[in-house]
């Protein structure tokens, strides 16, 4: 579930947590999260990925997260395992990432029907149990998806 195509614009952020909406196409178990790291990424910043529940169109509670990765490989999908979590068909979720600085770049662009929310964090660390507010829910999504097994 999510955006599996390579989008056209390079994006970066600093000390933020960003999330994009995704509807589960089927009931199953999420086993990994994948974010495309743009070829322009230079390191040495860190990134981690997470999956949040939805609360009326905004991210709410963390249900899965990955380990933190330092200087992820550029020009490739960063695919990281998550502890198995079940999602339900037709239910909205939020794919999220957190970065420690602007050297990690991603691909973004306008995608119909995909919402985005972001918020600033005091510092990089473990993915928050609740999505921090207030959230700015504007912008474009990224090449970012969850792998679901039946």
């Amino acid at each position: 579930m999510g955006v599996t195509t390579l989008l056209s614009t390079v994006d970066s952020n600093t000390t933020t947590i960003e999330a994009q909406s995704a509807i589960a196409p089927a009931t199953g178990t999420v086993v990994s999260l994948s974010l495309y790291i743009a070829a322009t990424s230079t390191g040495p910043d860190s990134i981690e990925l997470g999956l949040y529940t939805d609360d009326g169109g905004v991210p709410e509670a963390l249900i899965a997260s990955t380990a933190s990765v330092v200087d992820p490989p550029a020009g490739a999908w960063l695919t990281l395992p998550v502890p198995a979590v079940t999602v339900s068909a037709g239910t909205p979720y939020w794919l999220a990432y957190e970065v420690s600085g602007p050297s990690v770049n991603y691909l973004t662009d306008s995608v119909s029907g995909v919402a985005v929310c972001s918020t600033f964090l005091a510092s990089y660390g473990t993915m928050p149990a609740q999505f921090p507010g207030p959230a700015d829910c504007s912008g474009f999504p990224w090449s970012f998806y969850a792998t679901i097994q039946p």
Side-chain angles (χ1 to χ4, degrees):
M1 77 177 158
V3 178
T4 59
T5 58
L6 296 183
L7 300 175
S8 61
T9 304
V10 174
D11 185 23
S12 68
N13 295 294
T14 181
T15 319
T16 60
I17 182 170
E18 308 277 338
Q20 73 186 41
S21 63
I23 305 291
T27 297
T29 303
V30 174
V31 295
S32 65
L33 300 175
S34 300
L35 177 69
Y36 192 83
I37 305 301
T40 55
S41 290
T42 58
D45 291 319
S46 299
I47 186 168
E48 65 181 317
L49 310 177
L51 181 65
Y52 284 84
T53 60
D54 178 83
D55 181 21
V58 295
E60 184 182 37
L62 181 68
I63 56 174
S65 63
T66 70
S68 180
V69 173
V70 178
D71 192 15
W77 285 101
L78 173 65
T79 299
L80 300 172
V82 294
V85 61
T86 300
V87 294
S88 299
T91 302
Y93 295 92
W94 290 83
L95 304 167
Y97 68 86
E98 177 186 13
V99 294
S100 66
S103 71
V104 180
N105 297 176
Y106 342 91
L107 297 180
T108 187
D109 207 343
S110 176
V111 177
S112 179
V114 179
V116 171
C117 289
S118 64
T119 190
F120 287 98
L121 297 171
S123 62
Y124 180 81
T126 303
M127 191 72 69
Q130 298 290 319
F131 195 84
D136 171 17
C137 293
S138 63
F140 295 137
W142 306 271
S143 298
F144 192 8
Y145 67 89
T147 299
I148 302 171
Q149 292 181 341

